[in-house]
Amino acid sequence: MTGQRAAGSVEAVFREDRGRLLALLAARFGDLDLAEEVVSDAMETALERWPVDGVPDKPLAWLLTVARRKALDRIRRDRAVAARLAALRVEADRSAAAHEEPGFDDIPDERLRLFFTCCHPALSMEARTALMLRFLAGLTTPEVARAFLVPAATMAQRIVRAKRKIRDARIPFRVPGPEELPDRLPGALRAVYLVFTEGYAASSGDGLMRPDLADEAVRLARILDGLLPGEREAKGLLALLVLTDARRAARVDAAGNQVLLEDQDRTLWDADLIAEGRRLVVPALTGPGVGPYAVQAAIAALHDEAVSFDATDWPQIVALYDVLLRIEPSPLVALNRAVAVAMRDGPEAGLILLDGLSGAAELRRYHLFHAARADLLGRLGRTAEAADAYRAALALTGNEPERATFQRRLAALTGRSREPGRGR
């Protein structure tokens, strides 16, 4: 076997199974640093051995065996590490025994433990998302740094601090018990959702989207749903992400310009993802106590099912936003509901609702709030006010394709080819 083919095999296993290896070793030894080091060592050994011996029938098992041996060797060489790990292991075993419940023994692999360790409430949301991208999605530290738009050295320090906090606070590598899961699961789902949001609509940069982040978020949602098949909100999140991501190919034109929903070529939407999302929505919505991700997935399904923008079932979408506003009230949900009301009842009705939200500081800092007002004001013929609203949106967005969209709309309102003092 050539070295190139062996390297390709190692890379494939690394991409698919690195998270499983890390989770297995972190759960076994209670130390994420040690797990990461020995996984890297095992991969290096594979690059040396597989070109000579061939790729084993069970690559993951081979890598796990090598990594375990290397971990034990390190522990034997370092008594301080051994003592610390022994204490952590005893504590983790006690904690796991205290929360042992029927059903949790059937989890197919250890990634769920790692998921909840990375998303422990003792960690900041930024630390949670960084750890998930690094250890569960398999991104390198420079790739995670690009996702957060910070230097690689800065992100490396953040990840080190987060791992140190896990170690020093003795955060156990375990699945929360049934009594804890309702409080812990939303944080894990939220972290995945935030990764997808940044991937689907980048907060800054030259591209409208970050497809790499969107892909990783969908992958993480699939892992979480697979490991917690009975959790309806995990299914609802996956449904929401695939139904939204189904429109990706239609969101930019050949020149890289943003294409708004009403102008998109719906034949470019991914029919397989839409079908998958629609299948997932049913169990996510079935039963008492529907969750916010399931409701948002139902809204996304209505958009995807419409044969045209004009044929969208806006009354049903408004009704679903009413539900969402009751179970998860927020200015952003109210903004989206106001836009849907404008589509159902006309721009004046939507604008009244938007103006009623103008006191929310969160929305005053949100470029799409001002863009929505500009659109409705423009439809009502209030050109000067619409232009001011587009200028406010321009001042708040760092995404170049979105800026270009606002500039084109502003130019159409004012009759100028470009906004004074701003280039493209």
Side-chain angles (χ1 to χ4, degrees), residues 77-422:
R77 289 197 303 267
D78 191 331
R79 292 184 178 181
V81 171
R84 178 167 56 82
L85 291 180
L88 287 170
R89 186 64 187 165
V90 168
E91 184 170 320
D93 287 344
R94 286 175 179 168
S95 180
H99 292 279
E100 217 169 32
E101 291 287 342
F104 284 94
D105 294 336
D106 299 326
I107 294 171
D109 61 46
E110 299 285 11
R111 282 177 296 179
L112 196 54
R113 294 194 192 201
L114 187 54
F115 232 115
F116 282 103
T117 301
C118 291
C119 290
H120 195 276
L123 301 170
S124 68
M125 185 59 72
E126 183 180 71
R128 295 180 205 177
T129 52
L131 290 175
M132 279 203 313
L133 288 173
R134 179 75 185 92
F135 298 116
L136 282 155
L139 271 63
T140 65
T141 298
E143 287 172 333
V144 179
R146 284 197 294 274
F148 284 86
L149 303 173
V150 299
T154 301
M155 181 51 64
Q157 291 173 355
R158 290 181 186 175
I159 290 174
V160 167
R161 285 197 295 269
K163 290 192 294 184
R164 187 181 298 129
K165 187 161 190 176
I166 290 172
R167 183 193 68 202
D168 294 346
R170 297 191 175 184
I171 294 173
F173 288 83
R174 65 171 177 82
V175 178
E179 74 284 358
E180 296 176 285
L181 198 59
D183 292 330
R184 293 282 302 279
L185 182 59
L189 297 176
R190 177 69 175 166
V192 177
Y193 178 78
L194 289 175
V195 173
F196 180 81
T197 299
E198 180 61 25
Y200 192 73
S203 56
S204 62
D206 295 332
L208 180 66
M209 298 175 284
R210 289 285 310 278
D212 54 337
L213 286 185
D215 288 342
E216 293 304 336
V218 172
R219 181 167 172 264
L220 287 168
R222 290 191 191 284
I223 292 171
L224 198 52
D225 178 55
L227 295 175
L228 289 171
E231 289 295 329
R232 288 163 51 205
E233 268 295 78
K235 207 169 295 296
L237 176 64
L238 178 56
L240 172 62
L241 299 198
V242 298
L243 285 164
T244 305
D245 202 39
R247 306 177 210 136
R248 184 195 300 187
R251 296 187 67 228
V252 293
D253 62 19
N257 297 312
Q258 181 183 20
V259 182
L260 299 177
L261 182 63
E262 58 263 38
D263 300 319
Q264 289 176 15
D265 179 356
R266 298 184 178 221
T267 64
L268 297 176
W269 290 2
D270 190 317
D272 291 336
L273 286 181
I274 293 172
E276 179 188 3
R278 292 177 67 186
R279 287 194 302 270
L280 290 164
V281 164
V282 175
L285 289 173
T286 302
V290 65
Y293 293 115
V295 176
Q296 291 178 74
I299 293 170
L302 287 172
H303 282 297
D304 288 1
E305 291 167 2
V307 296
S308 67
F309 187 76
D310 291 338
T312 304
D313 189 348
W314 293 109
Q316 184 63 25
I317 288 177
V318 172
L320 286 168
Y321 273 122
D322 288 340
V323 174
L324 188 58
L325 203 55
R326 285 197 300 271
I327 62 178
E328 192 176 64
S330 76
L332 186 57
V333 173
L335 164 62
N336 290 330
R337 180 185 178 276
V339 172
V341 168
M343 299 309 303
R344 183 191 67 180
D345 300 335
E348 183 69 40
L351 186 61
I352 291 170
L353 293 174
L354 286 182
D355 287 343
L357 299 171
S358 60
E362 178 183 343
L363 292 184
R364 289 199 303 271
R365 297 190 298 268
Y366 186 44
H367 64 288
L368 293 183
F369 170 72
H370 298 284
R373 286 194 74 250
D375 178 61
L376 298 184
L377 287 164
R379 294 186 190 192
L380 291 169
R382 295 161 63 176
T383 304
E385 293 171 89
D388 286 342
Y390 275 127
R391 292 187 185 100
L394 277 165
L396 292 168
T397 184
N399 182 283
E400 287 305 316
E402 282 190 324
R403 286 184 58 79
T405 297
F406 299 154
Q407 286 172 327
R408 285 194 298 271
R409 292 200 159 195
L410 178 60
L413 282 172
T414 61
R416 295 195 301 265
S417 61
R418 66 180 62 198
E419 184 184 3
R422 293 186 184 272

Side-chain angles (χ1 to χ4, degrees), residues 35-105:
E36 189 176 19
E37 289 170 5
V38 297
V39 166
S40 296
D41 289 348
M43 293 292 179
E44 289 180 10
T45 302
L47 283 172
E48 295 171 1
R49 296 280 301 277
W50 290 6
V52 178
D53 302 336
V55 178
D57 293 335
K58 297 180 178 179
L60 179 61
W62 188 97
L63 288 166
L64 180 59
T65 299
V66 173
R68 278 177 172 163
R69 288 173 181 165
K70 290 181 179 294
L72 292 171
D73 287 343
R74 287 181 183 232
I75 291 170
R76 292 189 189 103
R77 289 197 303 267
D78 191 331
R79 292 184 178 181
V81 171
R84 178 167 56 82
L85 291 180
L88 287 170
R89 186 64 187 165
V90 168
E91 184 170 320
D93 287 344
R94 286 175 179 168
S95 180
H99 292 279
E100 217 169 32
E101 291 287 342
F104 284 94
D105 294 336

